[in-house]
């Protein structure tokens, strides 16, 4: 079954053709990051306008690269939640139009479920159940993936998401948006023991995260140094900060896996591209867990992951009627659309 998949929840206009949830026939991503960098973050209205401009070309290219026409696809999948509402609406309405015109089923896909599904593309043998750490610019969740479309969150951030924590610290160091990626690269040449940072815990919730204190600690450290006219090493600061964030993520993730008895561990989302997170988990998991990580090119937002998850939503009968709407905030465990 060939699915044409569309993703427009944030600042990437993306489309892909995916066969049977696992085989990527094409995957086109048009990034707007250069434009948003001017403002230090994503400007929602600009994002919506750029999606509107790019979407026809991106979908067309995805079909062409897959050597396919609209007639040759079996369904249209689209990210309908969560995300920037104006951005989502562009993809949702476009997908609805395509589905109506081609008389192909319309499959609504939750963005975080799609991130998890990027692993089905990278690892053909991977099947639920497993425990997944979903870390992106907007979310930090530990998710029990009981089945392809049945999940529950057992740990979450109380404040900033991991990606946000990286981006905000990077910004304080003068690294342009989205600084998480650059911070990771700079950290490779730094000493992670040069500065000490707290490892915040949430009382009574051992799997929850809290990154805002860590972010404040790095901002205070920089301001103090600047006020005193003292130098600080950006690579050392990046390395020490990255170590602190990654330790919080891996400690809670491993603890929850041990407590709940999961042996298969998976990571997903933009931050799953982080070099230290990947190395640390490889080391910690090598004796007692099977670890799965998406290939780096599938960690960030893309259409292929939407096509992968779309396939399993379709098998479950999750097909929407034409009243499908975009939703800015929606738990990963919930479906919120009128079924056909
Ligand atoms: O999943 P994603 O592409 O978009 C959302 O759904 O939010 O995640 C984007 C986030 C950004 O905060 C970006 O800085 C972060 O992922 N990110 C990284 C790395 N690559 C992307 N953070 C740390 N290390 C990286 N290598
Ligand atoms: Zn994402």
């Amino acid at each position: 079954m060939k699915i044409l998949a569309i993703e427009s929840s944030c600042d990437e206009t993306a489309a892909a053709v995916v066969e049977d949830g696992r085989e990527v026939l094409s995957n086109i991503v048009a990034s707007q990051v250069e434009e948003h960098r001017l403002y230090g973050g994503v400007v929602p209205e600009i994002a919506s306008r750029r999606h509107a401009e790019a979407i026809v070309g991106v979908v067309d290219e995805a079909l062409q690269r897959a050597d396919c026409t609209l007639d040759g696809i079996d369904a249209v999948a689209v990210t309908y939640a969560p995300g920037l509402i104006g951005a989502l609406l562009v993809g949702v309405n476009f997908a609805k139009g395509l589905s109506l015109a081609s008389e192909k089923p319309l499959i609504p896909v939750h963005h975080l479920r799609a991130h998890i599904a990027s692993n089905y593309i990278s690892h053909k043998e991977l099947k639920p159940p497993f425990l997944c750490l979903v870390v992106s610019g907007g979310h930090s969740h530990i998710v029990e993936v009981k089945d392809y479309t049945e999940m529950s969150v057992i740990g979450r951030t109380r404040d900033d998401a991991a990606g946000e924590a990286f981006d905000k610290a990077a910004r304080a160091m003068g690294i342009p948006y989205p600084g998480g990626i650059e911070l990771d690269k700079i950290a490779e040449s730094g000493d992670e023991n040069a500065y000490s940072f707290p490892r915040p815990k949430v009382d009574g919730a051992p799997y929850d995260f809290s990154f805002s204190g860590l972010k404040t600690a790095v901002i205070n450290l920089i301001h103090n140094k600047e006020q005193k006219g003292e130098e600080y090493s950006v690579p050392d600061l990046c390395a020490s900060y990255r170590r602190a964030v990654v330790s919080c993520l891996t400690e809670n993730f491993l603890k929850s896996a041990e407590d709940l008895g999961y042996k298969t561990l998976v990571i997903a989302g933009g931050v799953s591209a982080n070099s230290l997170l990947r190395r640390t988990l490889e080391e910690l998991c090598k004796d007692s867990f099977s670890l799965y990580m998406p290939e780096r090119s599938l960690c960030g937002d893309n259409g292929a992951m939407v096509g992968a998850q779309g396939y399993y939503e379709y098998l479950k009968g999750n097909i929407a009627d034409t009243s499908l709407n975009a939703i800015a905030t929606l738990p990963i465990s919930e479906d919120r659309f009128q079924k056909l």
Side-chain angles (χ1 to χ4, degrees), residues 1-5 16-21 23 25 63 66 68-77 95 98-107 307 310-311 314-315 318-319 340:
M1 172 180 193
K2 282 185 195 164
I3 293 182
L4 170 65
V17 179
V18 180
E19 189 154 23
D20 296 337
E23 230 34 80
L25 305 185
L63 285 169
C68 208
T69 60
L70 206 46
D71 282 343
I73 61 140
D74 301 295
V76 180
L98 281 182
S99 149
L100 268 175
S102 63
E103 299 179 332
K104 307 283 160 80
L106 176 66
I107 310 168
Y311 176 68
Y314 177 84
L315 294 184
N318 284 340
I319 297 164
L340 195 67

Side-chain angles (χ1 to χ4, degrees), residues 8-329:
S8 70
S9 66
C10 191
D11 58 347
E12 257 99 31
T13 319
V17 179
V18 180
E19 189 154 23
D20 296 337
R22 303 264 175 172
E23 230 34 80
V24 179
L25 305 185
S26 66
N27 190 23
I28 308 297
V29 181
S31 175
Q32 312 169 357
V33 71
E34 293 300 330
E35 190 166 359
H36 295 293
R37 186 169 289 145
L38 299 171
Y39 306 96
V42 178
V43 182
E45 186 180 329
I46 293 178
S48 312
R49 289 174 185 275
R50 295 297 164 262
H51 287 312
E53 287 164 8
I55 198 154
V56 172
V58 167
V59 169
D60 217 27
E61 198 173 338
L63 285 169
Q64 276 181 37
R65 292 265 180 103
D67 209 7
C68 208
T69 60
L70 206 46
D71 282 343
I73 61 140
D74 301 295
V76 180
V78 65
T79 306
Y80 77 114
L84 300 171
I85 197 70
L88 287 165
L89 279 167
V90 176
V92 165
N93 273 316
F94 194 80
K96 258 196 230 185
L98 281 182
S99 149
L100 268 175
S102 63
E103 299 179 332
K104 307 283 160 80
L106 176 66
I107 310 168
V109 175
H110 189 288
H111 182 71
L112 296 185
R113 292 190 194 179
H115 270 302
I116 295 171
S118 63
N119 283 283
Y120 304 140
I121 298 166
S122 299
H123 310 285
K124 308 289 182 233
E125 73 285 11
L126 178 65
K127 290 189 186 113
F130 54 77
L131 194 66
C132 187
L133 177 69
V134 187
V135 270
S136 69
H139 298 84
S140 300
H141 282 351
I142 298 175
V143 183
E144 274 193 274
V145 181
K146 296 169 187 160
D147 205 344
Y148 290 103
T149 58
E150 197 196 330
M151 359 206 139
S152 58
V153 177
I154 58 158
R156 64 180 71 244
T157 183
R158 294 299 181 96
D159 37 59
D160 293 342
E164 218 177 340
F166 277 124
D167 293 344
K168 287 180 178 170
R171 190 176 182 171
M173 292 181 230
I175 303 167
Y177 175 85
I181 303 160
E182 199 56 28
L183 185 151
D184 186 26
K185 285 189 199 141
I186 298 171
E188 290 292 294
S189 61
D191 171 8
E192 65 177 34
N193 299 310
Y195 300 100
S196 74
F197 285 109
R199 305 280 194 273
K201 296 263 176 220
V202 179
D203 274 349
Y207 314 142
D208 281 3
F209 306 105
S210 169
F211 294 115
S212 68
L214 211 45
K215 176 194 67 191
T216 310
V218 78
I219 292 170
N220 287 345
L221 188 148
I222 293 168
H223 285 170
N224 274 332
K225 295 275 180 200
E226 284 173 353
Q227 269 171 2
K228 291 183 193 156
E230 289 175 9
E231 298 272 306
Y232 63 89
S233 156
V234 172
D236 288 356
L237 200 51
C238 287
S240 306
Y241 183 79
R242 181 179 68 165
R243 167 46 70 199
V245 174
V246 167
S247 294
C248 293
L249 291 173
T250 55
E251 274 169 29
N252 291 11
F253 187 35
L254 268 283
K255 177 163 176 37
S256 61
E258 274 157 17
D259 290 355
L260 281 92
Y262 279 94
K263 287 285 168 206
T264 305
L265 302 191
V266 175
I267 61 173
V271 181
S272 65
N274 187 268
S275 322
L276 184 69
L277 178 63
R278 295 172 83 96
R279 282 201 298 272
T280 307
L281 282 174
E282 267 169 358
E283 184 55 34
L284 292 172
C285 291
K286 70 178 188 302
D287 295 328
S288 336
F289 299 98
S290 307
L291 174 68
Y292 294 90
M293 309 187 276
E295 56 207 87
R296 273 202 158 87
S297 62
L298 294 177
C299 290
D301 292 347
N302 64 82
M305 66 185 196
V306 179
Q309 182 60 25
Y311 176 68
Y312 294 102
E313 299 290 345
Y314 177 84
L315 294 184
K316 199 74 198 167
N318 284 340
I319 297 164
D321 74 8
T322 48
S323 68
L324 179 68
N325 206 343
I327 304 166
T329 313

